[in-house]
């Protein structure tokens, strides 16, 4: 029974991936490229130690982002504000990290805490607006993204707290050696793997545990599935909305830290700003399940990293964007179809059962 | 739950479609019979065909291909790239034997600082930034000097005495354009007023590609009596041309000033060429060509290379014959800048 359930869960993503590969092959052939050659180049490149490091690193970042989004999804909340939350959180975290000269085991936890707090407070604004003023979080979180960008630009102006880190590049003071999160190396790769990979795994477990093994998680899921039923069973929906947005924001606060503490060491105007949207896609792909999200993040990172080699061999790397889009769309469609089939089957069964009873 | 997922999928799919549309076509590069030098060119986001900055670099490479028959491979950054992605792009080019490897844009600074020491035998170059390594040529430009010259042209050409400046992202790099432009305008017409608008704060990458915002800003300027506008805003500059064309263009006395490339001759701006009085030329093409020439001739260009007016690194374009009416003024100031009589500041005075 259990293995059948797993097979059911895997069916939709597998179909989606195959469909996207087929579609990408057709497009590649239209461009005059050989699909088999192209895919084997992607896979060969992805199998090198350096690419594996890069894939693990990107996947770590994506995982945090997708879990932040998934916490909202579980509550029927759509947090599009992960971008703004993590950027502000990372900028403030970078300022704190740049100023601290404690040993790493003291300063890194402080930076992680500060970033989670900032992300959580920024999401808290949207949560407050939703709970007490009825403002849809879809609108408020998007708007807060823009405010966050403006606020960061203000904070990082050289007249405020920013410094010039290179010609034409303004950012936070560079984080001292002691404040960096140690990574580890895969033999043959000069790119270290983020140590925060383990934190991501830990977060995945905590997410699963809280959701499935605690009363809080039960309340959260019940509100997401049916607010009226949740109210009837004594759940305070307003409070749960508040908590889950704060929690989502806190996790969003972690999104920028692997890159900040593991590779870039300074928050600059060039800091990537759209991991939040990637997180939405991966949360959809992984069905908000901690293991599903992990696979989704790895798949996404693999596609992103291998786009580099496509660019080099002259294949338009937009093919990767198309594949990513097709995978997400077909996963969502496949789930919707299987859901409808299931509902119809159930109705049939119920209909037959009642007919027999009469 | 399902409602949310539907909204999310639609939004996400939409953003993907937009992203795919905005990407430019990859230009095919023909291989030459006996390639000696393989040039690796890493564009910033936008790539070849962006109408200004990246296209200027592309022009330099095209010239090198024509003159030396070098082989070229061009790759392009994505908007979402961080330092690791940019570093990997440079590393791939260098490890595939491309030499020189040219990084277009200051966003590659940290990435190049990381990668350059790994390939001591490869010559690297970076546009608009300084990377301190023995095998890196740092190509920087005195944009304030060129902007000063187009400022004198703007002040001479304006009938209302009101000129405008459209900046991309509000960072020091672009403020230098504004500073030079304002000094040039004031040198010719101290009573002139200058309207300024930036398309986004530091860190807002959309500022480089927001023609809609630029169009609205320029329309507002025109309403206030501005009749000539200078845009240093990457892809957003298109909006300035649209607004000026909508106001009646050069026939009604409204002019635009281009930036980086000679926009008068750019195919991407053909529709607006009659309204483009001149362009501030930031000769990224010359710099890129010089780097390639250095490697071809066996004397790589390294260290800080300051492309200023006296080196021909910046200037203004004379492609539009209309500009000849103002050329004597601009050329007079150019001489004064070259011989040091005038020093153009790259920072705003206030």
């Amino acid at each position: 029974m259990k293995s059948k359930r797993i097979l059911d869960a895997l069916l939709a993503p597998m179909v989606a991936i195959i469909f996207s590969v087929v579609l990408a092959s057709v497009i590649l052939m239209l461009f005059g490229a050989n699909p088999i050659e192209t895919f084997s180049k992607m896979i060969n490149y992805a199998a090198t130690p350096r690419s594996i490091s890069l894939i693990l690193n990107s996947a770590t970042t994506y995982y945090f982002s997708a879990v932040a989004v998934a916490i909202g999804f579980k509550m029927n909340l759509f947090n599009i504000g992960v971008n703004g939350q993590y950027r502000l959180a990372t900028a403030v975290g970078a300022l704190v990290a740049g100023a601290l000269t404690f040993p790493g085991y003291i300063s890194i936890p402080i930076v992680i805490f500060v970033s989670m707090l900032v992300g959580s407070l920024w999401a808290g604004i949207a949560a407050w607006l939703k709970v007490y003023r009825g403002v849809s979080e879809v609108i408020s979180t998007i708007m807060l993204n823009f405010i966050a960008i403006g606020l960061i630009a203000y904070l990082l102006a050289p007249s405020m707290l920013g410094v010039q880190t290179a010609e034409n590049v303004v950012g936070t003071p560079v984080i001292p050696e002691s404040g960096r999160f140690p990574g580890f190396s895969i033999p043959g790769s000069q790119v270290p793997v983020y140590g925060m990979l383990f934190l991501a795994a830990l977060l995945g477990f905590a997410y699963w545990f809280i959701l499935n093994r605690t009363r809080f998680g039960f309340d959260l899921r019940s509100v997401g599935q049916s607010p009226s039923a949740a109210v009837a069973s004594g759940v305070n929906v307003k409070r749960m909305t508040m908590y889950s947005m704060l929690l989502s924001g806190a996790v969003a606060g972690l999104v920028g830290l692997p890159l900040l503490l593991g590779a870039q060491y300074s928050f600059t105007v060039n800091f990537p700003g759209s991991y939040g949207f990637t997180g939405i896609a991966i949360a959809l792909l992984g069905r908000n399940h901690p293991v599903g999200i992990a696979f989704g993040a790895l798949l996404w990172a693999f596609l992103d990293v291998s786009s580099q080699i496509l660019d080099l061999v002259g294949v338009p790397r937009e093919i990767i964007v198309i594949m990513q889009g097709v995978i997400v769309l077909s996963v969502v469609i496949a789930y919707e179809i299987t859901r409808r089939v299931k509902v119809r089957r159930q109705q049939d069964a119920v209909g037959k059962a009642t007919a027999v009873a009469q | 739950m399902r409602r949310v997922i539907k909204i999310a999928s639609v939004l996400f799919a939409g953003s993907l479609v937009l992203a795919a549309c905005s990407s430019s076509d990859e230009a095919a590069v023909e291989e030459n019979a006996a390639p000696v030098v393989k040039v690796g060119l890493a564009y910033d986001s936008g790539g070849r065909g962006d109408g200004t900055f990246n296209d200027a670099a592309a022009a330099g490479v095209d010239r090198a291909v024509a003159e030396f028959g070098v082989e070229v491979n061009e790759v392009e950054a994505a908007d979402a790239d961080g330092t690791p992605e940019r570093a990997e792009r440079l590393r791939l080019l260098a490890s595939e034997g491309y030499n020189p490897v040219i990084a277009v844009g200051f966003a590659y600074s940290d990435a190049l600082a990381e990668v350059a020491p790994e390939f001591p035998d490869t010559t690297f170059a970076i546009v608009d930034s300084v990377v301190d390594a023995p095998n890196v040529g740092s190509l920087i430009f005195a944009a304030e000097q060129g902007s000063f010259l187009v400022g004198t042209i703007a002040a001479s050409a304006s009938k209302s005495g009101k000129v405008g400046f459209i900046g991309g992202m509000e960072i020091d790099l672009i403020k230098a354009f504004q500073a030079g432009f304002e000094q040039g305008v004031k040198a010719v017409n101290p009573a002139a007023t200058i309207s300024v608008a930036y398309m986004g704060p530091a860190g807002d990458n959309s500022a480089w590609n927001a023609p809609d915002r630029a169009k609205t800003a320029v329309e507002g300027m025109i309403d206030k009596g501005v009749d000539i506008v200078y845009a240093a805003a990457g892809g957003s500059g298109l909006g300035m041309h649209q607004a000026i064309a909508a106001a009646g263009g050069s026939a009604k006395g409204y002019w635009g000033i281009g930036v980086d490339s000679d926009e008068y001759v750019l195919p991407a701006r053909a529709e607006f060429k009659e309204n483009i009085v001149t362009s501030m030329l930031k000769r990224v093409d010359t710099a890129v060509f010089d780097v390639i020439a250095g490697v071809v001739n066996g004397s790589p260009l390294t260290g800080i290379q300051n492309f200023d007016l006296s080196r021909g690194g910046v200037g203004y374009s004379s492609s539009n014959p209309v500009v000849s009416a103002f050329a004597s003024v601009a050329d007079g100031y150019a001489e004064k800048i070259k011989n040091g009589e005038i020093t153009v500041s790259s920072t705003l005075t206030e």
Side-chain angles (χ1 to χ4, degrees):
Chain A
M1 195 62 205
K2 178 133 196 196
S3 65
K4 187 166 179 293
R5 258 179 60 200
I6 293 172
L7 201 72
D8 272 358
L10 282 181
L11 193 66
M14 288 313 285
V15 169
I17 290 169
I18 292 167
F19 183 57
S20 82
V21 168
V22 170
L23 194 76
S25 304
V26 172
I27 296 170
L28 281 170
M29 282 193 280
L30 288 177
F31 269 103
N34 180 345
I36 296 169
E37 203 178 299
T38 307
F39 287 121
S40 64
K41 265 192 188 120
M42 279 170 66
I43 290 165
N44 284 340
Y45 170 65
T48 61
R50 203 171 68 211
S51 307
I52 292 170
S53 308
L54 288 167
I55 290 171
L56 289 175
N57 287 348
S58 292
T60 304
T61 301
Y62 297 164
Y63 193 76
F64 285 123
S65 175
V67 169
V69 174
I71 292 171
F73 275 165
K74 279 285 178 191
M75 267 282 296
N76 223 351
L77 290 170
F78 190 11
N79 181 5
I80 317 186
V82 172
N83 274 349
Q85 288 147 23
Y86 89 77
R87 287 178 84 160
L88 192 65
T90 315
V92 175
L95 285 170
V96 172
L100 293 179
T101 48
F102 302 135
Y105 56 87
I106 299 175
S107 77
I108 291 171
I110 294 177
V111 171
I112 291 176
F113 176 75
V114 168
S115 292
M116 291 179 82
L117 188 70
V118 171
S120 171
L121 288 176
W122 200 248
I125 299 173
W128 185 85
L129 285 171
K130 165 122 187 149
V131 171
Y132 294 103
R133 287 288 173 272
V135 179
S136 164
E137 79 285 358
V138 175
I139 307 294
S140 59
T141 50
I142 287 187
M143 289 184 158
L144 283 164
N145 282 347
F146 292 101
I147 300 174
I149 291 174
L151 193 61
I152 293 165
Y154 173 75
L155 282 176
L156 293 191
S159 55
M160 288 291 291
L161 299 164
V163 293
Q164 188 160 0
T165 53
E167 183 82 14
N168 290 323
V169 181
V170 174
T172 59
V174 176
I175 298 169
E177 205 81 47
S178 61
R180 302 174 182 180
F181 204 106
F184 62 94
S185 286
I186 294 178
S189 156
Q190 59 272 69
V191 179
V193 179
Y194 298 151
M196 283 187 76
L197 177 72
F198 299 107
L199 209 63
L202 205 65
L203 174 78
F205 176 76
Y207 170 72
W208 172 83
F209 185 83
I210 292 174
L211 221 53
N212 297 305
R213 291 290 182 272
T214 66
R215 161 140 189 233
F216 176 81
F218 178 79
D219 288 353
L220 199 131
R221 283 183 293 136
S222 63
V223 176
Q225 276 160 16
S226 169
S228 51
V231 170
S233 62
V235 177
N236 185 339
V237 174
K238 281 188 173 178
R239 199 168 60 201
M240 288 310 294
T241 305
M242 199 80 191
Y243 283 166
S244 60
M245 269 310 266
L246 290 175
L247 209 58
S248 174
V251 174
L254 293 168
V255 171
L257 293 184
L259 179 60
L260 177 75
L261 300 178
Q264 209 145 311
Y265 311 126
S266 163
F267 186 94
T268 65
V269 293
N270 304 323
F271 203 86
S274 55
Y275 292 145
F277 290 143
T278 313
I280 294 171
I282 294 170
L284 289 172
L285 194 57
R287 295 299 282 175
N288 303 328
H289 189 279
V291 178
I293 293 173
F295 281 114
L298 283 168
L299 176 68
W300 214 263
F302 158 70
L303 289 171
D304 273 353
V305 168
S306 53
S307 73
Q308 298 249 16
I309 195 77
L310 293 189
D311 215 4
L312 199 70
V313 298
V315 176
R317 63 120 160 265
E318 281 72 30
I319 200 86
I320 295 291
V321 182
I322 295 172
M323 282 183 75
Q324 290 173 333
V326 171
I327 289 174
V328 169
L329 271 184
S330 27
V331 158
V332 172
I333 293 167
Y335 276 122
E336 181 66 18
I337 290 171
T338 44
R339 194 192 64 85
R340 283 189 191 172
V341 168
K342 234 184 242 167
V343 167
R344 194 168 305 147
R345 252 196 236 138
Q346 250 171 14
Q347 282 169 345
D348 280 356
V350 170
K352 271 182 198 145
T354 46
V356 169
Q358 278 169 358
Chain B
M1 183 70 192
R2 276 191 295 125
R3 176 189 66 100
V4 168
I5 285 189
K6 272 180 197 157
I7 298 175
S9 335
V10 168
L11 277 177
F12 180 73
S15 73
L16 284 173
V17 169
L18 286 178
C21 291
S22 68
S23 319
S24 53
D25 294 340
E26 203 76 23
V29 179
E30 286 173 26
E31 282 187 37
N32 277 314
V36 194
V37 171
K38 286 164 74 188
V39 180
L41 197 69
Y43 289 115
D44 210 336
S45 58
R48 186 188 272 266
D50 72 341
T52 60
F53 181 65
N54 288 303
D55 262 351
V61 174
D62 291 346
R63 209 179 118 204
V65 170
E67 284 192 24
F68 305 127
V70 293
E71 188 190 321
V72 178
N73 200 340
E74 301 177 327
V75 293
E76 179 185 327
D79 278 339
D81 279 354
T83 300
E85 287 81 12
R86 289 178 188 270
E88 175 63 11
R89 185 166 303 116
L90 300 177
R91 203 175 266 132
L92 261 178
L93 285 170
S95 60
E96 292 286 320
Y98 291 95
N99 183 14
V101 174
I102 303 169
V104 183
F106 66 90
Y108 281 102
S109 309
D110 291 342
L112 185 55
E114 181 186 326
V115 173
E118 293 172 17
F119 301 92
D121 298 331
T122 303
T123 300
F124 292 90
I126 183 159
V127 177
D128 273 347
S129 191
V130 174
V131 171
D132 189 17
N135 55 335
V136 176
S138 303
L139 317 173
I140 55 175
F141 296 84
E144 67 280 5
Q145 294 180 349
S147 300
F148 185 100
L149 297 184
V150 297
T152 64
I153 293 171
S156 314
S158 173
K159 299 227 161 42
S160 63
K162 290 175 182 163
V163 301
F165 175 81
I166 296 291
M169 199 192 278
E170 195 168 356
I171 49 176
D172 286 352
L173 177 71
I174 300 302
K175 285 182 191 164
F177 286 73
Q178 186 198 340
F181 181 68
E182 291 188 353
Q183 291 164 66
V185 169
K186 295 284 184 189
V188 171
N189 180 4
T193 58
I194 302 158
S195 307
V196 175
Y198 278 91
M199 298 304 104
D204 179 6
N205 277 321
S206 69
W208 302 120
N209 204 1
D212 52 333
R213 275 180 246 168
K215 184 163 186 261
T216 313
V218 174
E219 281 166 355
M221 289 178 181
I222 289 173
D223 286 344
K224 283 193 286 179
V226 168
D227 56 2
I228 182 160
V229 184
Y230 172 39
S236 303
L238 176 64
M240 172 191 77
H241 294 302
Q242 288 168 340
I244 283 175
S250 54
K252 291 261 180 76
Y254 292 105
W255 295 98
I257 298 176
V259 76
D260 294 346
S261 293
D262 186 355
E263 295 194 26
Y264 183 77
V265 299
L266 270 188
R269 296 281 185 272
E271 194 186 336
F272 307 107
K273 65 186 289 187
E274 291 313 320
N275 308 329
I276 302 173
V277 59
T278 184
S279 298
M280 198 293 276
L281 301 178
K282 178 169 156 183
R283 304 305 299 264
V284 177
D285 54 340
T286 309
V288 166
F289 179 81
D290 286 358
V291 168
I292 300 170
V295 172
V296 170
N297 300 329
S299 55
L301 209 59
T302 52
I304 295 176
Q305 300 290 334
N306 188 7
F307 287 86
D308 60 6
L309 198 57
S310 51
R311 194 174 174 176
V314 291
Y316 70 92
S317 132
S318 312
S319 305
N320 191 340
V322 178
V323 83
S324 58
F326 319 109
S328 60
V329 179
D331 291 342
Y333 281 105
E335 276 315 308
K336 286 183 185 167
I337 293 170
K338 279 185 203 165
N339 64 27
E341 207 172 310
I342 294 178
T343 312
V344 185
S345 165
S346 63
T347 51
L348 296 167
T349 40
E350 314 127 296

